[in-house]
Amino acid sequence: MRRVAFCLAAMLSAAPAGGQGVSERLNDYPTEARTDYVFGCMATNGQNREVLRKCACSIDTIASILPYEKYVEAETVLALQQGSGEQLAMYKTAVVSQTMVAELRRAQAEAEMLCF
């Protein structure tokens, strides 16, 4: 049993090649980004304590699935897809852009299932 606990502790404290440990990866979203998400979620779903709890759960779930850098990239692509014109058309059709958005949508769906 101690061996399992030691291995688990080693895994949790080990830093991957990117330099972040598990706790840093799970909490790499700035407070401002989390708050912005919760405000938007509450504006859509209601302004009460229960919705606050669900929206906070939602961003925490997304953060546990998607690193903040990927979240920002996907949100940027989504914002660019709202525009029009030839220069922005590539953000609507590029495979890389579609993949980024798909990853965000999967994380959002998971959050929706767990929190709402």
Side-chain angles (χ1 to χ4, degrees):
M1 187 68 169
R2 285 186 181 191
R3 186 176 187 169
V4 171
F6 177 76
C7 290
L8 181 59
M11 283 179 10
L12 290 175
S13 64
Q20 285 186 319
V22 172
S23 62
E24 288 89 5
R25 285 195 318 272
L26 292 178
N27 195 25
D28 67 343
Y29 282 51
T31 302
E32 182 178 337
R34 289 177 187 263
T35 305
D36 188 46
Y37 179 92
V38 170
F39 283 157
C41 177
M42 290 180 71
T44 302
N45 296 296
Q47 302 286 326
N48 61 55
R49 185 81 173 156
E50 181 65 18
V51 173
L52 169 65
R53 186 190 60 73
K54 290 177 179 180
C55 292
C57 171
S58 182
I59 189 61
D60 290 344
T61 301
I62 291 169
S64 73
I65 297 168
L66 201 62
Y68 181 65
E69 184 178 313
K70 290 189 178 283
Y71 174 81
V72 170
E73 289 171 355
E75 286 288 329
T76 302
V77 168
L78 283 172
L80 291 170
Q81 287 179 346
Q82 300 300 315
S84 60
E86 282 184 42
Q87 293 178 336
L88 297 179
M90 69 180 214
Y91 291 103
K92 296 177 184 177
T93 59
V95 173
V96 173
S97 298
Q98 292 174 349
T99 301
M100 286 179 194
V101 171
E103 287 177 358
L104 176 59
R105 294 288 188 229
R106 280 192 290 275
Q108 289 172 329
E110 180 76 18
E112 180 81 18
M113 289 175 25
L114 290 173
C115 302
F116 284 89

